[in-house]
Amino acid sequence: MAARILILGGGFAGIGAARALKKADAEVVVVDKHDYHTFQPLLYQVATDLLERTAVGHPLRDLFHDQPNVRVHLDEATAIDLEKREVQFVEMKPIAYDYLVLALGAEVNFFGAEGAAEHAFPMYTLADAVRLKDHLLNKWEEADKDSDLAEDGALNVVVVGGGPTGVESAGALSELYHSNLAEDYPDLHAEHAQITIIEAAPALFGMFDEELRVYTKGALEERDVEVVLGEIVESVERTRVTLKSGKVLKAHTLVWGAGLQASPIVKSLGLELEKGNRIAVGPDLSIPQHPEAFAVGDIAWITDSKTNEVLPQLGSVALQAGEHAGENISRLIAGKETEPFRYHDKGTMATIGRGAAVVQLPRGRTLTGRIAFLAWGSVHLALLSTGEDRTKAVVDWTWAGVTHERAARITVET
Ligand SMILES: Cc1cc2nc3c(=O)[nH]c(=O)nc-3n(C[C@H](O)[C@H](O)[C@H](O)COP(=O)(O)OP(=O)(O)OC[C@H]3O[C@@H](n4cnc5c(N)ncnc54)[C@H](O)[C@@H]3O)c2cc1C
């Protein structure tokens, strides 16, 4: 009987693993709690009306039409028994496996900031992005009807976290505010629509070289984003944000882009976990003592065999590690030994706004400005799941680039 390979999670890592098993004589079962694959790097573009949600969420089943050995199920995994080789779900009967790929990603970590779970807007799922987009548009509509609300901070946004999620969100929000919403609502004034980014460290983009950090701060300030460094958000209320220094900011929106923790299911594994509850895997990406089970992507603590450093939680790491886990399972099925994972670093990059981006290439080279923006665009297009998604993104980006329009600027009641 063909081996059953159970892949939990249809993100970059899960899809990478499933695709690498295309030729395997095996039954590949992919389970995700959503019926779509989320392209997280562009979530902020859904939140700021630049992209439609369908360019960032792609039907999972659609991705495997050309792979007859894959079956996709929509359900939430609730517990994993590594000894019994079985996974439990909310609705389906438990599934037994011969090989397991754990690719459940991570979720937001509020680091105990009081009130954040109730009032903050995280930026990790498609639902988060749509919720933020609707909330922001509603705030402008409310302030349009009652100008006292604008004075009370209804249009102000505090973004927490000076990493890529926070910086990209702050830059995109500022462009949305200054180009589109300022024109939509001519009676609401720019001084009542302040975007502020708060970072606990002394600089934004701590993982990049100094010159990129300086460029990023300048590019955000040019876009009227207030950059506050060395400050921590202590508590959040519906309309106020309190910093550790005691300062209180008037803001009816707080976007949380500050931290992650691995999927909570890892606690059911009985393993010792690393920082952020990540699973430390061996060089071939298998879970210690379980050569048949692999952990990949944001859920895993992967040490680069070349540099001995822990790899960051990035889409490119997740995709490559997922593919490698799939290849290693094919090797095991064929009676061969697994091989260690080697990450091919093609550079780390982030955008700040139209025509402004930073790229950190391997061996210390850096790019900024338009050329970095183009590099970012082409790398992210290549990562999108299908040609259809790439076309949608190119059409929306080109249209927005030429006209500064954002067609997704509507709310739909359901
Ligand atoms: C806003 C943002 C911007 C980013 N920008 C970049 C960038 O520019 N470049 C870059 O390289 N990386 C970026 N990243 C990081 C990148 O998106 C992640 O590293 C990558 O998505 C991790 O892939 P994954 O497959 O491990 O997890 P995910 O993509 O999170 O996929 C996990 C999947 O598991 C499913 N799942 C979770 N729990 C369960 C459960 N219990 N049962 C069933 N299914 C479950 C989820 O629905 C999801 O589909 C960004 C991340 C965010 C949030």
Side-chain angles (χ1 to χ4, degrees):
M1 215 170 67
R4 180 182 295 148
I5 303 159
L6 178 58
I7 299 177
L8 298 180
F12 287 107
I15 286 182
R19 283 189 170 154
L21 287 158
K22 191 166 185 175
K23 295 199 178 128
D25 178 19
E27 179 195 349
V28 181
V29 180
V30 178
V31 185
D32 198 292
K33 63 182 175 184
H34 298 121
D35 61 357
Y36 52 85
H37 162 75
T38 306
F39 191 86
Q40 285 175 346
L42 296 180
L43 282 178
Y44 76 92
Q45 298 205 357
V46 173
T48 55
D49 310 316
L50 200 52
L51 285 180
E52 295 281 358
R53 61 184 87 174
T54 51
V56 172
H58 192 98
L60 255 184
R61 291 172 196 279
D62 195 39
L63 298 177
F64 298 109
H65 282 175
D66 63 345
Q67 198 172 334
N69 66 351
V70 171
R71 290 291 174 273
V72 175
H73 298 299
L74 170 66
D75 208 340
E76 181 173 348
T78 50
I80 300 165
D81 190 331
L82 288 173
E83 302 307 324
K84 229 170 135 189
R85 298 191 187 180
E86 192 181 87
V87 177
Q88 291 184 19
F89 299 91
V90 171
E91 290 179 89
M92 293 191 295
K93 290 194 181 114
I95 298 183
Y97 60 81
D98 299 295
Y99 299 96
L100 177 71
V101 179
L102 247 182
L104 294 170
E107 59 178 40
V108 63
N109 186 351
F110 292 116
F111 296 112
E114 202 187 318
E118 295 82 33
H119 303 298
F121 287 80
M123 184 68 88
Y124 208 70
T125 66
L126 193 48
D128 291 339
V130 173
R131 195 164 74 94
L132 174 60
K133 160 193 145 82
D134 287 353
H135 169 85
L136 290 171
L137 293 179
N138 284 332
K139 287 290 142 197
W140 281 78
E141 288 300 345
E142 284 168 22
D144 184 51
K145 285 179 226 137
D146 176 359
S147 57
D148 289 351
L149 283 173
E151 303 246 359
D152 188 58
L155 308 180
N156 293 344
V157 181
V158 172
V159 178
V160 189
T165 304
V167 169
E168 291 187 334
S169 302
L173 280 168
S174 168
E175 286 185 350
L176 169 72
Y177 267 36
H178 290 111
S179 50
N180 306 93
L181 296 181
E183 285 178 3
D184 284 350
Y185 302 91
D187 297 330
L188 295 174
H189 299 294
E191 69 268 23
H192 289 139
Q194 178 62 52
I195 316 284
T196 304
I197 185 165
I198 314 264
E199 164 58 44
L204 301 169
F205 278 161
M207 73 288 230
F208 288 133
D209 279 2
E210 168 75 15
E211 65 169 295
L212 298 188
R213 291 185 225 153
V214 171
Y215 171 87
T216 301
K217 183 165 180 283
L220 280 178
E221 285 170 345
E222 254 174 46
R223 285 164 175 75
D224 290 328
V225 175
E226 184 191 9
V227 179
V228 179
L229 301 172
E231 268 281 18
I232 291 175
V233 169
E234 193 163 71
S235 67
V236 190
E237 291 161 76
R238 204 174 52 77
T239 60
R240 296 288 181 271
V241 177
T242 305
L243 306 182
K244 204 163 184 188
S245 61
K247 193 170 175 190
V248 178
L249 304 174
K250 283 184 188 178
H252 293 203
T253 310
L254 176 112
V255 178
W256 194 275
L260 298 177
Q261 56 190 335
S263 162
I265 204 170
V266 294
K267 292 181 191 146
S268 74
L269 294 172
L271 299 170
E272 242 182 69
L273 301 171
E274 293 290 344
K275 199 171 140 199
N277 286 344
R278 287 153 79 185
I279 303 168
V281 290
D284 67 352
L285 304 177
S286 66
I287 297 174
Q289 322 303 329
H290 289 278
E292 76 293 346
F294 295 79
V296 280
D298 281 3
I299 204 169
W301 182 269
I302 305 172
T303 306
D304 191 333
S305 50
K306 276 183 282 184
T307 62
N308 231 11
E309 286 188 11
V310 177
L311 291 171
Q313 287 165 297
L314 285 176
S316 43
V317 174
L319 187 64
Q320 288 181 36
E323 287 168 353
H324 191 81
E327 285 158 12
N328 269 345
I329 292 173
S330 292
R331 285 187 190 102
L332 289 172
I333 292 173
K336 297 181 191 160
E337 296 216 339
T338 58
E339 288 187 2
F341 173 59
R342 286 200 178 79
Y343 175 56
H344 299 289
D345 183 4
K346 294 173 192 150
T348 312
M349 50 197 74
T351 49
I352 300 140
R354 195 179 289 119
V358 290
V359 176
Q360 176 91 54
L361 293 162
R363 294 193 211 98
R365 277 192 58 215
T366 57
L367 303 173
T368 55
R370 268 180 205 288
I371 180 116
F373 188 69
L374 289 175
W376 175 90
S378 50
V379 165
H380 283 77
L381 279 180
L383 265 177
L384 278 163
S385 319
T386 64
E388 184 194 337
D389 293 343
R390 285 191 274 279
T391 310
K392 278 185 208 154
V394 168
V395 170
D396 286 352
W397 288 347
T398 311
W399 181 249
V402 174
T403 64
H404 291 205
E405 258 309 322
R406 290 173 192 237
R409 210 163 72 254
I410 55 171
T411 49
V412 181
E413 314 77 36
T414 50

